[in-house]
Amino acid sequence: MTSRIADFVQAHSRALVFVILSFALAGLVMIPSIPVSILPETDFPRVVILVDNGIAPINVQMLTVTRPLEEAIRLVPGITTMRSVTGRGSTEINVFFRWDVDILNSLHLVQGRIAQITPNLPPGCRFYVNRLTFSVFPIVGFSVTSPTRNLAELWDLTYYDLAPRLYRLPGVAETRIVGGRKPEYHILVDPTKLNGLALPITKVVDAIRNSNLIEPAGMVQENYHLYLTTVTGMLERKEQVENVVVDIVKGTPILVKDIAQVVPGEEPVYNIVTANGRPAVLVNVLQQPDGNAVQIADAVNQEIKDIRRALPPGIDLSTYYDQSILVRESISGVSESIVIGLLLSVAVLLVFLKDWRTTLVAALVIPLATLIAVVFMKLFHMSFNLMTLGGLAACIGVVIDDAIVIVENIVVHLSMGKSSWEASRTAIQELTPALIGSTLTPIVVFVPLIFLEGITAVFFRALAMTLVTALVASLLLAIFFTPVLAGVFLKNTRRSLETNIHEAEQAEEGPVLRWFAAHYERLLQWALSHTRSILVLAGGILIVSVLIYFQLGSGFLPDMDEGAFVLDYRTLPGTSLEESNRVLNHVEQFLRETPEVESYSRRTGARLALAIAEPNTGDFLIKLKKKRSRSLEDVTSELRRKIRHAEPAIQVEFPHILEDLVGDLAWSPQPIEVKIYNDDERVYKAVAESIEAWLPKVKGVVDIESQTISIGPSMNFRVDPVKAGQAGFDVKDIADLEATMLDGKLASNMIRGDRLIGLRVRYPYADRSSFKTLESQLITSPSGQTVALSSIAHGQVEEGQTEIRRENLRNLAAVTAQLEGRDLGSVMEEIRARLPKELSIPPGTEIEYGGLYQIQQESFAGLTKVLLMSMLLIFIILVFEFRSFSHPIAILIATVLCTSGTLLALYITHTTLNIASFMGAIMVIGIVHKNGILMLDSERHFTNLGHPLQHAIFLAGRRRLRPILMTALATICGMLPLAIGVGSGAQLLQPLAIAVVGGVSVSMLLSLVITPVLFYLLRSRGL
């Protein structure tokens, strides 16, 4: 079989080179067309339903909206978990599905179920239903501010002029406007004049609504034309609004201007939005899911520059967030690591091979395999992101392994006097089975990752697919391309020819490698003669590995300085916007005093995330300067200390953007989340309060926050039905009057050009400024009777209600917290050990631990399954390849022992065991066993030549010393730039690289010593 492959390669060498170069050229051409993003685009199996139902009380909202929706939606197939939060007039339902479902189909099913029950829901409900991907969060955010214009003017400019220009850009999905106020005309009714005419304020609303109409009346044919006939009273100017007839009193028409003032106003919205300390309108630009983040951001930023030049004086546009900076720097950093790793790997080859032609023949595999991988990335609609580039960076040292082995074999045979084509043929015949086996086994290590589910799959499926593609390409190149190049470029220039392979190897070795080989020969002879000592050493390595493992901290994602962070805050329940604004202005002062802060934006009563936002909650998005002396962690620690000292009433937390993004997508935004279940509402709330008070005792736990959120007090006007009926009112009449007096009723919209301007009827501020003023107001019933509000209704202050949180139709309370200075695993281990002992948990109460800790545990469980499945598949392949158990057992034991290097490297560098470093450990399993395969394949060759077992193992170790050292050092050098953190994007992949470098470094000793000793022991016993 191998002879036929060698004949095929020699006979079709030109065609093979043409095909391979064509693939490489295609990859080069496709590079600009592949999208660029920070992470792989993924459909999270989650659908979010947000419902706005005005200001309905929480218990009413739960019974009339939340529960009916939950009961309807849970019939959709594939649901695993359903969580809801019910607030005052608002409901947020998060539906989680299995990862294998078609989320678009599930979204449509959810929308269908909602549509079916909509007629049974309160008539004023408004819905927002969507699935979640990374693209639901903004790629660029900018602010519009002005020292001379009000928020209504800024909103009008942004909505009608700026946003449409951005919508036209390719790849832009949405421009979300946060803040500002819609411009309106307010019809401020004089209560004295209104009641003097015995008119209810709702009469004004009806008059404007019934006047501002255009209705079709029919068609008329005349003068050979067909005319549409309409009846219209459309209002287009302020004067027309003032002249609307409200009623006829004693034969006299009462106009709007007789009882009210028409003045420019703003839509009443209870939030505050600022940018760099000034009232602002924020614009968040969202990209299409398959868009190129860098290209879209560049187009948006260029459009912003063009807009800025055309803006009227006194209007400022400032970018407060640009994800493309992080994407660009991260991609650039990882790309830089790839280039440096490539150069280091080539340097390793040059040192060992001592010839630039030989080095070039082997090194060409790296760019060619990478470009072929790019072709398949395009075919599978993948993007350039940290994970796919991480796969390319990881494959730098791995894909060259096969070429190194082939080239080294060819060089040895050239030294024995063979021609270049004869040497290439011999290399193909000798090494093809070993190369197929050694490449197939790392592929089966990564294949299970492709079928992995959960957050881990989001991060590493793309890396695995990229790496598998590159490995397959490297195998094909090593067999079908490298020998062809060697046949053309490599010539035997030595004057003296060696007669056997051992002398040929020594002839190609320099003095350093010859010295190392001599010492290795003595070490291997001693090891084969002292097998018990080697077994003790292996046992010691295993014990040390276990001890190191228990000393390692654990986390979810690696810490990453993204150059920006979120500051979430919450003031006391019921705090007015004015008081919240005062406190937050103090926080903004701290931000302006922090030299590392470049810009920021603030939302009060609104959120970056898709979630309910009360007027006392909100967040800052803070961008740091690129050049700064302190790290992100140092900046947030100082801000946390200042805020807590100056404003102890405000609760703050400082999540990282990437971690916050992943947490929001998975609805587990905090590292620590303690969930409390009990049938009695008072019990689970009391337990939550005790846990919130206890958590500060755990070192490293900060930003503790109970999710039992109080909405704040309310004033209820309790209507006396008898007195109200006598005065001609029913409860709805009074509710309509009160709503119109306070926030006003939007009677209609006036069309002015291409813009809609609301017409809102309400009382002047002086007549609605306090509860006392409201109670003393005279109101007129539809029947014309005028009475004081206090005579038919009395005000009752109701203490604040709390949001109702449910999971799978069961009420719960939750307490969340962040970390500072400690790893997630050790903190949660301490909490789980201490909490049941130090707190009295009432019977019937269930405690669960969620947050990022739960995601971490699920991810570790999934990766452990992948690791075990990979080892099983490796074992099966090795049994097929070697047709014995001694070979695979020896290789796998040594491979597992190599993870000691991974754990030691993590421990020395103070790196936690997170999903990135865990992935690195799996990669070590896939990489280092290749050395054992090459060695034992060589042993089989020498055994077939008639050498005794021990001598055959010795010759195999000596024969494979140089290629094993070359491949290991090439892999280490390829990963070294990532391991030392070259570039900003390297931080996410740094733990993976550290794990690989540590494992491969140790593998050089274990593969060259322990693998042959274990095989010798197993083979001696007949396995």
Side-chain angles (χ1 to χ4, degrees):
M1 180 66 181
T2 55
S3 298
R4 291 180 182 178
I5 294 175
D7 293 338
F8 177 83
V9 171
Q10 186 171 0
H12 300 87
S13 58
R14 292 181 178 84
L16 290 172
V17 170
F18 179 77
V19 169
I20 290 168
L21 292 180
S22 297
F23 266 96
L25 181 61
L28 197 62
V29 171
M30 289 177 180
I31 287 176
S33 65
I34 294 180
V36 180
S37 60
I38 188 70
L39 290 171
E41 185 59 38
T42 302
D43 287 327
F44 279 76
R46 175 185 168 196
V47 172
V48 178
I49 303 106
L50 300 179
V51 187
D52 181 4
N53 186 31
I55 55 172
I58 290 178
N59 56 340
V60 175
Q61 182 77 6
M62 166 58 70
L63 295 175
T64 61
V65 178
T66 305
R67 183 174 292 171
L69 284 173
E70 287 178 335
E71 292 173 351
I73 293 170
R74 67 179 179 177
L75 298 177
V76 175
I79 292 177
T80 59
T81 307
M82 184 159 50
R83 298 170 181 167
S84 68
V85 180
T86 305
R88 184 184 291 158
S90 60
T91 293
E92 175 188 350
I93 299 177
N94 291 271
V95 187
F96 297 84
F97 294 86
R98 297 193 313 269
W99 281 86
D100 61 340
V101 303
D102 182 345
I103 193 61
L104 282 175
N105 181 58
S106 298
L107 172 65
H108 296 153
L109 292 175
V110 169
Q111 291 172 327
R113 293 297 300 165
I114 293 174
Q116 288 177 358
I117 68 164
T118 297
N120 301 325
L121 299 177
C125 286
R126 292 181 297 168
F127 293 89
Y128 172 87
V129 185
N130 208 345
R131 64 191 176 104
L132 289 189
T133 66
F134 284 119
S135 59
V136 302
F137 295 89
I139 183 173
V140 174
F142 65 93
S143 61
V144 185
T145 59
S146 173
T148 58
R149 303 203 180 200
N150 61 37
L151 287 174
E153 292 175 304
L154 293 180
W155 185 92
D156 188 84
L157 173 72
T158 304
Y159 184 81
Y160 289 106
D161 295 334
L162 306 189
R165 293 184 62 169
L166 298 174
Y167 267 119
R168 293 194 290 267
L169 299 177
V172 172
E174 184 181 356
T175 54
R176 289 181 184 164
I177 299 175
V178 183
R181 302 290 186 268
K182 291 183 181 179
E184 296 180 337
Y185 274 114
H186 287 180
I187 296 93
L188 301 179
V189 179
D190 186 328
T192 304
K193 293 180 180 180
L194 188 70
N195 294 320
L197 295 169
L199 295 175
I201 193 172
T202 51
K203 194 83 171 179
V204 182
V205 176
D206 294 338
I208 294 173
R209 184 173 293 154
N210 294 331
S211 297
N212 190 36
L213 292 174
I214 181 169
E215 294 288 343
M219 310 295 289
V220 175
Q221 297 187 64
E222 186 175 333
N223 298 327
Y224 308 105
H225 288 83
L226 182 64
Y227 293 91
L228 169 67
T229 304
T230 63
V231 177
T232 180
M234 293 292 288
L235 305 175
E236 298 175 352
R237 300 187 307 277
K238 172 186 173 183
E239 293 77 14
Q240 292 177 324
V241 178
E242 292 175 331
N243 290 324
V244 168
V245 177
V246 177
D247 202 357
I248 305 295
V249 177
K250 297 179 181 180
T252 302
I254 306 301
L255 307 181
V256 167
K257 65 183 178 182
D258 296 331
I259 58 174
Q261 287 183 305
V262 180
V263 298
E266 302 171 349
E267 178 188 24
V269 178
Y270 296 97
N271 63 29
I272 295 175
V273 176
T274 68
N276 299 323
R278 296 162 62 182
V281 176
L282 305 182
V283 181
N284 295 323
V285 182
L286 279 63
Q287 71 173 80
Q288 295 284 358
D290 58 348
N292 186 317
V294 173
Q295 290 181 359
I296 296 170
D298 287 344
V300 170
N301 288 323
Q302 182 58 49
E303 190 68 23
I304 291 173
K305 289 180 181 178
D306 295 341
I307 291 171
R308 192 179 285 121
R309 285 193 291 267
L311 282 176
I315 296 178
D316 298 323
L317 264 63
S318 176
T319 302
Y320 65 85
Y321 178 67
D322 188 348
Q323 191 188 86
S324 70
I325 295 175
L326 175 63
V327 175
R328 204 186 309 271
E329 291 179 352
S330 300
I331 299 299
S332 174
V334 177
S335 301
E336 185 180 345
S337 296
I338 292 175
V339 173
I340 296 174
L342 171 62
L343 295 176
L344 291 175
S345 298
V346 171
V348 169
L349 298 185
L350 193 58
V351 168
F352 276 90
L353 298 176
K354 300 178 302 197
D355 180 75
W356 69 268
R357 287 190 181 87
T358 310
T359 301
L360 180 64
V361 168
L364 273 176
V365 168
I366 299 176
L368 291 176
T370 302
L371 291 172
I372 292 172
V374 168
V375 173
F376 285 92
M377 285 174 59
K378 179 68 175 179
L379 294 177
F380 288 110
H381 306 289
M382 298 169 68
S383 66
F384 283 130
N385 52 67
L386 287 180
M387 293 299 109
T388 52
L389 287 180
L392 295 177
C395 77
I396 291 298
V398 178
V399 299
I400 203 173
D401 285 3
D402 295 339
I404 287 175
V405 174
I406 282 281
V407 168
E408 193 270 346
N409 192 287
I410 291 172
V411 169
V412 169
H413 285 288
L414 284 173
S415 299
M416 296 174 65
K418 294 181 179 179
S419 68
S420 56
W421 277 110
E422 288 176 343
S424 296
R425 284 179 55 82
T426 305
I428 294 174
Q429 292 172 353
E430 289 183 1
L431 295 175
T432 295
L435 290 179
I436 293 174
S438 64
T439 304
L440 187 60
T441 44
I443 289 175
V444 300
V445 168
F446 300 121
V447 164
L449 283 169
I450 298 175
F451 303 100
L452 192 65
E453 294 183 348
I455 297 293
T456 312
V458 172
F459 284 94
F460 294 115
R461 183 183 291 136
L463 184 147
M465 291 180 67
T466 307
L467 197 52
V468 165
T469 305
L471 283 170
V472 173
S474 73
L475 174 63
L476 296 176
L477 289 170
I479 296 175
F480 296 103
F481 183 73
T482 303
V484 174
L485 290 186
V488 174
F489 292 106
L490 301 187
K491 305 297 180 183
N492 188 359
T493 58
R494 297 181 60 86
R495 295 180 180 179
S496 60
L497 302 177
E498 312 303 335
T499 57
N500 61 62
I501 196 166
H502 182 68
E503 293 176 352
E505 288 173 2
Q506 289 185 333
E508 292 299 322
E509 294 172 351
V512 175
L513 185 58
R514 213 172 279 130
W515 174 88
F516 187 86
H519 284 76
Y520 169 67
E521 289 176 0
R522 289 194 290 271
L523 174 62
L524 183 57
Q525 287 177 339
W526 180 89
L528 291 172
S529 304
H530 299 79
T531 54
R532 289 187 178 180
S533 300
I534 299 300
L535 288 179
V536 171
L537 175 63
I541 292 173
L542 183 61
I543 293 172
V544 171
S545 300
V546 173
L547 294 176
I548 293 175
Y549 172 79
F550 286 108
Q551 294 297 316
L552 285 177
S554 65
F556 176 56
L557 285 176
D559 292 333
M560 187 172 177
D561 191 335
E562 301 138 301
F565 63 92
V566 177
L567 193 165
D568 289 325
Y569 60 84
R570 189 170 78 195
T571 58
L572 293 176
T575 304
S576 66
L577 271 176
E578 290 76 9
E579 175 59 17
S580 294
N581 194 45
R582 183 198 66 78
V583 173
L584 294 167
N585 283 337
H586 200 183
V587 175
E588 289 191 22
Q589 180 183 341
F590 293 147
L591 294 176
R592 289 192 293 270
E593 292 172 353
T594 304
E596 290 81 7
V597 172
E598 179 177 308
S599 61
Y600 64 88
S601 63
R602 189 245 291 185
R603 286 146 292 276
T604 303
R607 301 289 291 273
L608 275 171
L610 294 173
I612 295 173
E614 296 295 336
N616 65 315
T617 63
D619 54 41
F620 289 85
L621 182 56
I622 301 161
K623 179 182 177 183
L624 299 179
K625 295 175 181 176
K626 187 174 182 180
K627 295 181 179 179
R628 59 184 190 275
S629 57
R630 293 189 297 174
S631 68
L632 185 147
E633 290 295 335
D634 294 334
V635 173
T636 55
S637 295
E638 183 190 42
L639 285 172
R640 181 184 290 112
R641 179 182 54 80
K642 284 183 176 181
I643 295 170
R644 286 187 174 174
H645 177 73
E647 298 290 349
I650 187 173
Q651 293 180 313
V652 295
E653 57 186 37
F654 296 84
H656 291 191
I657 288 180
L658 183 58
E659 197 168 84
D660 192 48
L661 169 61
V662 173
D664 282 336
L665 288 171
W667 215 62
S668 300
Q670 311 302 329
I672 300 170
E673 182 187 31
V674 184
K675 297 187 286 189
I676 307 102
Y677 300 92
N678 193 291
D679 295 333
D680 190 331
E681 180 182 354
R682 292 173 298 177
V683 172
Y684 68 69
K685 287 183 178 179
V687 174
E689 290 178 2
S690 63
I691 292 175
E692 184 183 14
W694 175 83
L695 275 176
K697 298 178 181 178
V698 181
K699 182 182 177 183
V701 176
V702 295
D703 300 342
I704 301 161
E705 186 175 348
S706 173
Q707 298 302 314
T708 305
I709 298 173
S710 179
I711 305 301
S714 62
M715 170 66 80
N716 299 328
F717 285 94
R718 171 64 63 177
V719 178
D720 186 321
V722 176
K723 293 180 180 179
Q726 291 173 344
F729 294 97
D730 57 28
V731 176
K732 189 176 187 312
D733 293 331
I734 299 174
D736 289 342
L737 288 169
E738 193 80 9
T740 308
M741 291 160 61
L742 289 171
D743 280 347
K745 277 290 182 70
L746 188 65
S748 188
N749 288 290
M750 181 169 65
I751 297 177
R752 180 174 290 174
D754 62 344
R755 307 187 179 189
L756 285 176
I757 300 177
L759 300 175
R760 185 176 299 274
V761 179
R762 68 191 309 190
Y763 271 11
Y765 178 74
D767 296 300
R768 54 181 170 84
S769 58
S770 67
F771 291 124
K772 185 177 180 181
T773 304
L774 284 173
E775 288 181 315
S776 64
Q777 285 290 342
L778 297 175
I779 57 175
T780 302
S781 70
S783 61
Q785 298 184 58
T786 301
V787 297
L789 178 60
S790 59
S791 67
I792 59 174
H794 63 280
Q796 296 175 332
V797 177
E798 182 179 340
E799 294 302 322
Q801 295 179 305
T802 57
E803 289 182 347
I804 299 175
R805 304 177 72 86
R806 286 157 63 87
E807 183 170 320
N808 293 330
L809 311 184
R810 186 168 58 154
N811 289 14
L812 80 153
V815 180
T816 61
Q818 294 278 344
L819 299 171
E820 184 179 55
R822 284 190 69 183
D823 65 277
L824 177 61
S826 64
V827 169
M828 287 306 303
E829 185 179 350
E830 182 177 345
I831 290 174
R832 298 187 68 149
R834 290 177 56 188
L835 191 148
K837 297 177 182 177
E838 299 181 16
L839 290 181
S840 178
I841 307 298
T845 303
E846 297 179 33
I847 303 291
E848 292 183 4
Y849 300 95
L852 293 179
Y853 171 74
Q854 181 182 6
I855 299 178
Q856 178 218 48
Q857 295 299 299
E858 293 172 353
S859 300
F860 279 14
L863 290 172
T864 301
K865 291 178 183 177
V866 167
L867 181 61
L868 296 176
M869 188 185 303
S870 301
M871 293 174 65
L872 177 62
L873 291 174
I874 290 173
F875 187 83
I876 292 171
I877 290 174
L878 293 179
V879 169
F880 272 103
E881 181 177 356
F882 289 102
R883 302 174 187 177
S884 75
F885 288 109
S886 54
H887 295 81
I889 291 175
I891 292 171
L892 272 184
I893 291 177
T895 300
V896 171
L897 289 176
C898 288
T899 57
S900 62
T902 293
L903 297 173
L904 182 62
L906 295 175
Y907 181 76
I908 292 173
T909 57
H910 305 288
T911 304
T912 60
L913 184 63
N914 48 56
I915 60 173
S917 51
F918 205 134
M919 179 64 187
I922 294 175
M923 290 181 64
V924 168
I925 297 293
I927 293 172
V928 301
H929 74 277
K930 296 179 69 173
N931 296 332
I933 291 176
L934 291 173
M935 174 171 284
L936 296 189
D937 179 76
S938 182
E939 172 275 330
R940 185 169 57 177
H941 170 73
F942 286 115
T943 300
N944 292 336
L945 292 178
H947 294 281
L949 177 62
Q950 187 171 354
H951 188 59
I953 294 173
F954 174 78
L955 292 176
R958 182 64 183 81
R959 174 68 188 88
R960 294 306 185 201
L961 173 63
R962 186 166 70 151
I964 286 176
L965 289 178
M966 290 170 65
T967 56
L969 289 174
T971 301
I972 291 170
C973 290
M975 297 295 285
L976 195 60
L978 282 179
I980 62 178
V982 173
S984 59
Q987 289 176 303
L988 190 61
L989 296 168
Q990 189 175 20
L992 180 149
I994 290 173
V996 171
V997 169
V1000 174
S1001 299
V1002 171
S1003 74
M1004 285 189 285
L1005 173 64
L1006 299 183
S1007 298
L1008 291 169
V1009 178
I1010 290 185
T1011 299
V1013 170
L1014 290 174
F1015 173 73
Y1016 175 66
L1017 287 171
L1018 293 169
R1019 202 64 167 173
S1020 300
R1021 285 159 176 75
L1023 281 178

